[in-house]
Amino acid sequence: MRTEESIESTQSDSKTPELQKLEAIHERHQNAAWRKNVERLEELRRSFSKQQSEVFSSELRDKIRTTIKADRSRDLRGPGMRYNSLIAAQEAGVDLLALKGIHDQAYQKIGRFVKNNDRFLAHETIVGSTTDIISQPPPIIWIPLPDPDKEKLFYPPFGGSWDRFEQNQASGDGAIVANNSYLDETARLGSKLVARNHDASDVDLICAYRETGYLVRFKTLRTGILQVKADLSALICRHNISTDDEWGWSDFHATTRGRLVLAVFWNWEDVDPANEVSDQWFVAGLDCSGDGESFPGESVQAVPGERRIINLFTSMAFPANQKVWVYVGLSDQIWAFLNDVSIDISIDSAWLLNSLAIRSI
């Protein structure tokens, strides 16, 4: 995390030991939280693979796959590989109802893991408002005392920038090709995440995540929660999920998502925020599942130049006359749970943070 004071001292020199220590502490905390979630998914992956093998052994799966792929006599107008593999499994005595139950139960659990995170709260969202007060600077009005009902506006360059978190995980032949930040310490934020697995085994997992943002210094004028309006314009916002059914017996679940995060710190030295909330649907992303034979491909989630104004509210109150650091960042993440499905999955999302408007209410 970088502040006004630290930016000047670190532009030409390497990061100060104090800043390095703080970022290291934060990284350990975030790694612990990330690792806990990934371990839950990894345990689910192992459990799913074990239960599936008990009903439908890997040897039998390989035999059916090889036989069907080697069959050159099939009528192209007739049943496809998926149907033929189901018939072959049934003829081999596989309990298809039990197998379907295992799959359904696993993907229900996956959905709970990779969708909404219960520690965040979604609040009112305003998209493309042209009449909002943040659309233009307010007129200069001379008053003897600060108006507690008035928003304080912040424009670039902001008080500090923070490439807050980065993490990757891929099993089997999966690979995280890119995990790059668009943060440039002026007003740009976002990330480019690219991952693939072109030879998924029985069950493979892909996870990638990055969060970037900016901080400003704010003094509360009354006791209450904070309302933060973030005004952003899209530079590029493309999400992609492309899949290929490797053979007739397969399924997958893949998700892309972009969250706008609000965090409030008592002091810039604090690594853990006093309060943190987010808008879960800032970029809705893609949520796909099935046999891998159909997929959305590339989706433009916001056209270049599109403006979005997001309202976020803290879930705790702050006392009057308290100086705090307010952080707003963009969190991009991709997840994929693969069962014999090849995948290319990516997010390319860069935004300009035009301004922040903050007040106590």
Side-chain angles (χ1 to χ4, degrees):
M1 181 170 57
R2 305 186 69 187
T3 65
E4 290 167 332
E5 294 83 359
S6 67
I7 287 174
E8 294 181 1
S9 62
T10 58
Q11 280 180 337
S12 58
D13 301 325
S14 59
K15 292 180 180 179
T16 64
E18 293 78 9
L19 187 57
Q20 290 178 335
K21 179 180 178 182
L22 292 173
E23 291 187 345
I25 294 171
H26 172 76
E27 185 176 354
R28 285 199 299 271
H29 286 202
Q30 291 288 69
N31 279 339
W34 168 272
R35 180 54 49 191
K36 182 178 180 181
N37 206 30
V38 169
E39 284 177 354
R40 292 166 67 192
L41 281 168
E42 184 63 26
E43 177 59 32
L44 177 58
R45 185 188 73 82
R46 290 194 295 265
S47 174
F48 175 71
S49 181
K50 180 181 178 182
Q51 292 179 58
Q52 179 177 251
S53 296
E54 290 173 353
V55 177
F56 193 5
S57 69
S58 58
E59 292 80 6
L60 180 57
R61 285 162 57 86
D62 291 340
K63 181 180 178 181
I64 293 175
R65 178 191 298 148
T66 303
T67 301
I68 291 177
K69 284 189 173 184
D71 184 7
R72 304 297 182 183
S73 64
R74 293 196 318 262
D75 185 347
L76 295 177
R77 297 167 297 178
M81 289 177 58
R82 190 170 185 83
Y83 178 82
N84 288 330
S85 69
L86 288 171
I87 296 300
Q90 188 176 40
E91 291 175 348
V94 176
D95 188 342
L96 296 181
L97 288 178
L99 188 60
K100 184 178 186 302
I102 293 170
H103 282 228
D104 290 346
Q105 185 180 38
Y107 284 102
Q108 285 176 4
K109 292 180 180 179
I110 294 166
R112 290 198 297 269
F113 288 163
V114 304
K115 290 184 180 179
N116 288 349
N117 190 327
D118 292 338
R119 77 187 185 93
F120 294 117
L121 303 174
H123 294 286
E124 175 190 5
T125 299
I126 305 174
V127 179
S129 171
T130 59
T131 60
D132 196 90
I133 188 173
I134 201 172
S135 63
Q136 58 184 2
I140 298 175
I141 302 175
W142 296 100
I143 53 177
L145 294 173
D147 182 358
D149 293 319
K150 192 176 185 63
E151 296 173 323
K152 183 173 182 181
L153 287 168
F154 298 88
Y155 296 97
F158 299 103
S161 63
W162 196 0
D163 193 355
R164 194 178 181 201
F165 184 55
E166 168 197 0
Q167 192 55 271
N168 306 306
Q169 175 81 12
S171 66
D173 287 329
I176 308 299
V177 180
N179 188 330
N180 303 321
S181 169
Y182 278 116
L183 192 74
D184 61 5
E185 298 185 0
T186 56
R188 192 172 61 170
L189 71 167
S191 57
K192 184 173 184 178
L193 308 177
V194 181
R196 65 169 178 249
N197 189 329
H198 292 171
D199 188 17
S201 62
D202 288 350
V203 188
D204 272 338
L205 178 66
I206 291 176
C207 315
Y209 172 49
R210 195 170 198 121
E211 182 184 319
T212 59
Y214 293 94
L215 299 104
V216 295
R217 189 70 156 163
F218 177 72
K219 182 179 180 180
T220 60
L221 297 179
R222 62 152 60 102
T223 298
I225 66 172
L226 299 185
Q227 176 189 13
V228 178
K229 288 183 182 179
D231 181 353
L232 301 102
S233 296
L235 299 176
I236 184 172
C237 189
R238 297 175 182 173
H239 288 218
N240 177 71
I241 296 179
S242 300
T243 59
D244 181 47
D245 187 358
E246 292 184 353
W247 71 296
W249 186 271
S250 52
D251 49 19
F252 82 105
H253 187 177
T255 300
T256 66
R257 178 69 54 82
R259 291 188 298 107
L260 195 68
V261 178
L262 162 66
V264 180
F265 298 83
W266 292 110
N267 300 291
W268 81 270
E269 292 91 350
D270 292 338
V271 175
D272 292 322
N275 193 230
E276 185 167 353
V277 295
S278 78
D279 185 289
Q280 295 281 358
W281 297 102
F282 175 67
V283 177
L286 302 172
D287 188 59
C288 309
S289 60
D291 56 18
E293 294 178 351
S294 60
F295 52 85
E298 183 174 272
S299 170
V300 177
Q301 297 281 303
V303 297
E306 180 178 331
R307 182 164 169 246
R308 295 185 180 181
I309 299 173
I310 306 298
N311 259 326
L312 291 166
F313 302 84
T314 61
S315 58
M316 67 172 281
F318 293 84
N321 299 314
Q322 176 69 47
K323 291 184 178 180
V324 295
W325 281 100
V326 177
Y327 164 87
V328 173
L330 182 57
S331 164
D332 292 310
Q333 53 187 316
I334 58 178
W335 299 84
F337 195 83
L338 310 169
N339 177 39
D340 286 314
V341 171
S342 295
I343 193 169
D344 287 278
I345 183 170
S346 65
I347 294 176
D348 194 2
S349 180
W351 295 74
L352 280 180
L353 182 58
N354 301 314
S355 62
L356 293 172
I358 308 173
R359 66 171 176 168
S360 299
I361 58 175

